[in-house]
Amino acid sequence: MANLSALQIARYEYNPKLPSVLRNNPDEVVLEFGKATEAVADQAELKELFKNTYGKPEALFVKGKNPDVKKEIRVGVILSGGQAPGGHNVIAGLYDGIKAGNKKSTLIGFKNGPSGLIENDFVEIDDKFMDAYRNTGGFDMIGSGRTKIETPEQYAASMATAEKQNLDAIVIVGGDDSNTNAALLAETFLANGKKTRVIGCPKTIDGDLKNEQIETSFGFDTACKTYSELIGNIERDANSAKKYWHFIKLMGRSASHIALECALQTQPNICLISEEVEAKKMTLKQITNDIADAIAKRAENKENFGVILIPEGLVEFIPEMKSLIAELNDKMAQNEAEFNKLETFADKNAWLKANLTASSYETFSALPEGIAAQFLADRDPHGNVQVSRIETEKLLATMVERELKVRKENGKYCGKFSSYTHFFGYEGRCAFPSNFDADYCYSLGYTAFMLIASGVTGYLSSVRNLTKPADKWTAGGIPLTMMMNMEQRHGTKKPVIRKALVELDGKPFKEFASHRDEWKIKTSYTFPGAIQYFGPSEVCDQTTKTIKLERE
Ligand code: FBP
């Protein structure tokens, strides 16, 4: 067992918990169907686009006879998008389900995301290979990728691979975009008379793939616990040294679910919520002033320290920044060749002065130079600025420092201000999955097999009742079209699964809002500590405060 940590060896022995209905022999479980479903919006357009898969009923596993699970099958699995703790356990649950149905059945893993399907790049999974990855974090077992299956050629290549591999099903483990892809693939296979069924699994640390039917995406639990441990440690350091303000940016793309959950777990002085900033149309100046006010207030109590959480996507939600980003995206795309010839920041600045509207240039020129340059960095494949690369934590720390300096010059007492900045993202995406994620993911994978064996396609594997112990969880399938609507994407209307942002009238935000004024001024930190994998259930098996507040 060279190169294995003691925890890794111990985690191999962990037996993930399944909902009790799935603890029966697989041939003693059947799908019970509910009523036909409708999409969340744009029903007529979606019905037209998904002629074969639209409107299927929700389905739940109950006790009954299903001899079909014993048929020999061949299944492919794809991990898609950003890493999230528990991906390997989805594969483990799927693998064990397939083998429990029929030992001769086969699972192959397409390598490096959807491109593996397009290119027929795969690896066959056997016991030895699978066992090396049980209950481990990461997606390194088969790799992941962000290729989208979009063009007719990519659909044709995917069908060709499915045919060559004689696949009965493909399981796509991904976020909202990848599951939208799963829905489109399921439809394409059916429309072309192919036998390959497609099942999705809800993955993303961002927590924004959730709705009435999906209680949470996997990975959110572990990632938030990992970040909260680190935030708690920093809080304790801040309260020990009493000399630094820590500005911590947290991953999560546009949605602030991670920041909100970490705030509930650690009670920092300030946590910004992008969705609120947008709703209240808060400017960068207002946000800066609010933080400076809190710093000055705490200084009166001789507490020249604090912790501030910042969601990754914040700049996109600050109105003047949003306009600046939109204008920059357009201008830089329209004048790509000309812009790329500009070598120095000064040249670019002069060009922007001449080409941006006065208000956007004013916003741009007020930014610290290092940060302003990040707004001009490489665009993503869609021509958008990569907001995760903008150091919002440094931007805020600098703006606050400037503001406090002005206040001091005007004779106001602000105490001492010294700051550190941090960005937590990759630290949490590949952690050993918490017991919750290990169990949830294994159950999602096993459920995906059961859906395949029940003959459905275009469904999302669904495990619910997650705030209860695992034996009380339910398992079933949600038609993917049920979660879709039409949205404008890069100039065209496309069918997509709706992203869930933080709801300002939802219980998690209200809980935070009811405490934040106190946390801001009075040091109220809580220290969640490291994820516990072994020990009493109340320490090891609890999930997030978000899901508890939303579902209990
Ligand atoms: P998914 O939406 O694919 O799950 O990825 C989540 C995420 O971790 C975001 O929080 C972050 O903005 C992004 O991926 C970073 O992307 P990359 O891994 O390409 O750097």
Side-chain angles (χ1 to χ4, degrees):
M1 292 260 183
N3 300 325
L4 293 181
S5 68
L7 182 65
Q8 188 165 339
I9 295 166
R11 286 311 273 174
Y12 283 157
E13 302 302 318
Y14 179 75
N15 273 325
K17 301 184 265 303
L18 279 173
S20 41
V21 68
L22 299 183
R23 297 178 192 179
N24 295 294
N25 288 331
D27 60 340
E28 289 169 4
V29 180
V30 285
L31 259 191
E32 191 173 81
F33 290 98
K35 281 193 253 142
T37 59
E38 289 281 6
V40 281
D42 310 308
Q43 292 84 0
E45 279 162 275
L46 287 160
K47 210 170 185 170
E48 193 52 33
L49 284 170
F50 293 89
K51 289 201 175 69
N52 299 279
T53 46
Y54 184 85
K56 293 269 165 18
E58 274 190 63
L60 195 68
F61 285 109
V62 293
K63 281 199 87 174
K65 294 275 169 228
N66 179 12
D68 282 353
V69 295
K70 294 194 166 163
K71 282 188 190 151
E72 184 182 340
I73 55 171
R74 189 168 168 85
V75 176
V77 62
I78 299 170
L79 298 175
S80 181
Q83 283 69 251
H88 291 157
N89 268 29
V90 175
I91 302 180
L94 178 63
Y95 181 80
D96 290 352
I98 286 173
K99 295 290 178 184
N102 185 323
K103 287 231 162 327
K104 288 197 214 131
S105 291
T106 315
L107 178 64
I108 61 169
F110 287 107
K111 289 192 194 165
N112 306 321
S115 62
L117 175 65
I118 296 169
E119 292 155 16
N120 193 19
D121 186 10
F122 71 101
V123 56
E124 187 168 327
I125 298 172
D126 60 15
D127 287 352
K128 192 166 170 236
F129 185 32
M130 187 67 252
D131 289 349
Y133 289 95
R134 287 179 188 272
N135 305 307
T136 59
F139 279 7
D140 44 330
M141 180 178 179
I142 55 173
S144 184
R146 292 198 183 275
T147 305
K148 271 190 196 163
I149 302 173
E150 277 178 321
T151 63
E153 294 74 28
Q154 287 173 322
Y155 279 107
S158 305
M159 281 195 285
T161 300
E163 203 146 350
K164 211 179 282 169
Q165 289 283 357
N166 189 25
L167 289 182
D168 295 287
I170 297 172
V171 175
I172 298 183
V173 182
D176 50 339
D177 276 347
S178 312
N179 277 297
T180 297
N181 243 207
L184 287 161
L185 259 188
E187 177 66 27
T188 306
F189 283 130
L190 269 188
N192 287 279
K194 308 290 178 200
K195 69 166 183 173
T196 312
R197 301 184 277 279
V198 185
I199 302 295
C201 281
K203 171 237 74 167
T204 177
I205 61 160
D206 299 349
D208 56 3
L209 176 52
K210 68 175 169 185
N211 48 41
E212 271 307 300
Q213 292 76 32
I214 308 170
E215 296 183 2
T216 188
S217 54
F218 79 75
F220 177 68
D221 181 83
T222 310
C224 288
K225 283 176 177 157
T226 305
Y227 304 141
S228 296
E229 181 208 349
L230 299 175
I231 295 163
N233 294 350
I234 287 180
E235 288 179 338
R236 203 151 224 168
D237 198 292
N239 196 17
S240 307
K242 303 196 191 294
K243 58 180 178 181
Y244 299 125
W245 274 85
H246 293 270
F247 289 68
I248 306 173
K249 185 174 77 168
L250 293 158
M251 252 189 191
R253 232 180 253 283
S254 303
S256 307
H257 298 294
I258 291 181
L260 179 56
E261 172 63 25
C262 292
L264 292 170
Q265 288 194 29
T266 61
Q267 305 187 181
N269 301 99
I270 294 173
C271 173
L272 300 169
I273 300 294
S274 306
E275 292 81 345
E276 185 184 29
V277 166
E278 181 174 56
K280 292 187 174 165
K281 300 192 172 45
M282 290 173 76
T283 61
L284 184 58
K285 180 79 185 128
Q286 275 173 299
I287 297 169
T288 306
N289 281 345
D290 285 358
I291 298 174
D293 290 348
I295 291 171
K297 191 87 199 139
R298 280 175 64 77
E300 285 171 17
N301 303 334
K302 305 233 168 335
E303 301 207 304
N304 291 303
F305 65 91
V307 171
I308 302 175
L309 305 187
I310 304 153
E312 182 178 63
L314 181 71
V315 286
E316 282 180 305
F317 290 78
I318 301 174
E320 74 272 23
M321 294 284 170
K322 193 175 176 178
S323 313
L324 169 65
I325 290 170
E327 239 184 88
L328 282 175
N329 286 344
D330 285 352
K331 292 277 179 247
M332 286 169 67
Q334 286 157 11
N335 305 284
E336 204 180 346
E338 188 185 342
F339 191 81
N340 286 345
K341 277 193 206 135
L342 304 169
E343 281 179 10
T344 64
F345 180 76
D347 293 341
K348 289 178 187 170
N349 192 23
W351 188 88
L352 290 169
K353 192 171 182 186
N355 285 280
L356 290 179
T357 55
S359 61
S360 280
Y361 183 70
E362 194 187 327
T363 308
F364 182 78
S365 55
L367 296 170
E369 186 175 314
I371 306 285
Q374 290 166 4
F375 279 75
L376 309 179
D378 289 347
R379 279 16 208 175
D380 73 8
H382 302 289
N384 296 323
V385 66
Q386 301 192 53
V387 277
S388 63
R389 301 217 173 162
I390 295 175
E391 292 172 305
T392 322
E393 67 284 19
K394 289 199 179 140
L395 169 66
L396 286 178
T398 312
M399 301 303 274
V400 166
E401 189 170 12
R402 280 186 191 170
E403 172 62 23
L404 291 170
K405 195 163 166 253
V406 172
R407 289 187 187 193
K408 271 185 197 162
E409 282 163 7
N410 291 331
K412 298 217 175 90
Y413 180 71
C414 303
K416 285 187 203 140
F417 176 74
S418 184
S419 69
Y420 271 102
T421 56
H422 315 259
F423 169 37
F424 296 154
Y426 301 99
E427 292 82 348
R429 297 201 314 182
C430 286
F432 278 103
S434 60
N435 285 357
F436 172 81
D437 272 328
D439 298 345
Y440 181 39
C441 289
Y442 189 83
S443 300
L444 284 171
Y446 200 97
T447 302
F449 158 69
M450 296 295 285
L451 290 168
I452 295 165
S454 305
V456 297
T457 187
Y459 275 69
L460 186 80
S461 172
S462 154
V463 176
R464 289 155 87 167
N465 217 16
L466 296 171
T467 55
K468 303 281 178 308
D471 61 343
K472 302 246 166 21
W473 292 356
T474 62
I478 310 291
L480 286 161
T481 55
M482 188 181 180
M483 298 177 285
M484 296 177 99
N485 65 172
M486 302 294 291
E487 285 178 22
Q488 202 73 19
R489 294 278 168 100
H490 313 292
T492 35
K493 254 186 142 190
K494 289 199 169 151
V496 288
I497 293 177
R498 229 186 226 175
K499 230 184 222 323
L501 297 182
V502 167
E503 286 175 10
L504 301 181
D505 56 359
K507 283 192 188 163
F509 179 77
K510 281 188 174 164
E511 172 70 14
F512 163 68
S514 70
H515 293 290
R516 65 174 159 185
D517 289 345
E518 189 190 347
W519 298 350
K520 192 183 273 183
I521 309 304
K522 193 172 153 226
T523 302
S524 314
Y525 306 148
T526 43
F527 314 109
I531 296 175
Q532 300 297 305
Y533 298 96
F534 300 97
S537 185
E538 64 275 17
V539 182
C540 298
D541 296 331
Q542 301 302 313
T543 181
T544 57
K545 291 191 186 284
T546 301
I547 194 173
K548 278 205 181 129
L549 288 161
E550 284 174 344
R551 300 284 166 173
E552 278 185 346

